[in-house]
Amino acid sequence: MKVDTFGNPDKPVILLIHSIFYPGITSYRSILPLIEDDYYVIVPHLDGLTFPHSEFISTRRQADQIVDWLKKNGISHIHFILGSSYGSSVAFEILKDQSLKIDKAALDSPALKCSKIYGMMLYHEMKKMVKTFKKKGFEAFDNYDKYKYISKDDEEYCLKVYNDMDKKTIKNLAYSCYDYVLPSELYREGTTVRFLFGEKDKSKINLPEIKELKSGEIRILEGMSHMQYIFENPVDFLHECDLEIGNEKQNYV
């Protein structure tokens, strides 16, 4: 698993787990300047969603690989973990690991639902999208409003990821987003958890499961669609995540 790091390893650790449609660091460019001076930022590239292409593995195995990397690098304390869309299910698996001390977690547009129907719908959406990118190249970005926020360099990386995707990877990714069975409760002593949903977010279909879990605060972001807030207002987004930035930050051991 490829892992990008930013900032000083002696600072408190932030772990960012990306989504399908914004692989790697592409969804986190807006918040990186706000956090890299005060934190050590770790961004794993999930298998199946990276360039060069790697074989897709299950959510649980993605989490295991990240935890193994953390332990090999002497990291047992995470100040803040953010999971975005599909990445939220990987982050949730990491939250189950009691060997890690985790202060705060935010799951943005979480994908924590079990539904073959929704998995099939996402599969057809992704298959069509990847086909469009392979056929049109950079011109395809004009077809998708969600990519208006990212730079040309990040467009190039996304295009490389999609050009390398095969049908098996697309199918496994899509169905894995809706093949998640939540436990009856997430118990983590000393960890605060927030679930973030845009008011217009398609991931609100996960709300019944999150409400039943009763393991964190649910916040609805007014007027926002899927993962929109992190791009349009990164400072307020981090406030919604309960993360200290700049002068707000305290010292953590």
Side-chain angles (χ1 to χ4, degrees):
M1 178 178 282
K2 177 184 176 184
V3 178
D4 288 335
T5 60
F6 306 87
N8 186 338
D10 295 328
K11 299 285 187 176
V13 172
I14 286 181
L15 179 61
L16 306 177
I17 314 294
H18 66 79
S19 68
I20 290 175
F21 296 109
Y22 301 103
I25 192 65
T26 61
S27 61
Y28 299 123
R29 296 290 186 193
S30 60
I31 64 171
L32 189 59
L34 301 172
I35 59 178
E36 63 181 336
D37 288 342
D38 294 322
Y39 296 98
Y40 183 48
V41 184
I42 300 170
V43 187
H45 291 240
L46 300 178
D47 285 334
L49 281 165
T50 188
F51 177 81
H53 179 70
S54 55
E55 192 73 19
F56 175 76
I57 58 176
S58 69
T59 299
R60 178 66 255 174
R61 288 183 61 201
Q62 302 268 23
D64 287 342
Q65 286 197 7
I66 294 169
V67 172
D68 287 345
W69 186 93
L70 292 170
K71 291 179 178 178
K72 286 177 182 176
N73 286 272
I75 297 170
S76 59
H77 182 183
I78 300 170
H79 177 55
F80 174 68
I81 179 171
L82 170 63
S84 301
S85 196
Y86 167 69
S88 65
S89 57
V90 179
F92 197 89
E93 287 296 314
I94 295 172
L95 284 168
K96 293 179 182 178
D97 193 316
Q98 298 295 326
S99 68
L100 293 172
K101 181 179 180 182
I102 302 174
D103 299 327
K104 300 179 181 182
L107 304 183
D108 181 28
S109 304
L112 297 168
K113 192 178 188 71
C114 188
S115 170
K116 289 184 179 179
I117 294 175
Y118 281 110
M120 180 178 65
M121 292 169 61
L122 181 58
Y123 168 60
H124 287 295
E125 177 188 345
M126 286 186 61
K127 186 169 65 171
K128 180 180 178 181
M129 187 196 77
V130 171
K131 182 179 179 180
T132 301
F133 275 104
K134 288 182 177 181
K135 181 179 179 181
K136 294 187 175 182
F138 282 103
E139 291 181 14
F141 287 102
D142 296 333
N143 294 2
Y144 299 96
D145 191 55
K146 60 176 165 275
Y147 289 112
K148 67 183 180 181
Y149 302 103
I150 67 174
S151 68
K152 284 296 181 183
D153 287 342
D154 284 339
E155 283 184 359
E156 183 177 358
Y157 182 72
C158 289
L159 188 58
K160 287 178 179 178
V161 172
Y162 299 144
N163 278 334
D164 261 7
M165 274 191 185
D166 53 31
K167 289 183 179 179
K168 179 182 177 182
T169 299
I170 297 169
K171 186 174 183 179
N172 287 337
L173 277 167
Y175 278 93
S176 68
C177 285
Y178 294 102
D179 189 26
Y180 199 94
V181 179
L182 284 166
S184 58
E185 183 180 4
L186 173 66
Y187 176 75
R188 283 200 63 93
E189 186 176 357
T191 303
T192 59
V193 181
R194 285 188 176 181
F195 299 93
L196 309 179
F197 293 91
E199 182 186 15
K200 303 175 182 179
D201 194 341
K202 62 183 180 181
S203 72
K204 284 176 70 177
I205 60 170
N206 294 274
L207 264 172
E209 287 82 358
I210 302 302
K211 288 179 179 178
E212 182 68 23
L213 184 64
K214 297 179 181 177
S215 294
E217 182 182 1
I218 299 171
R219 300 181 77 87
I220 306 298
L221 309 175
E222 186 176 350
M224 295 294 111
S225 60
H226 192 68
M227 290 186 62
Q228 182 180 0
Y229 205 37
I230 193 171
F231 291 105
E232 294 208 348
N233 199 331
V235 172
D236 284 352
F237 174 82
L238 292 176
H239 287 159
E240 291 287 353
C241 293
D242 194 29
L243 181 68
E244 309 83 4
I245 55 175
N247 293 333
E248 303 165 347
K249 182 182 167 294
Q250 301 174 13
N251 293 322
Y252 288 85
V253 178

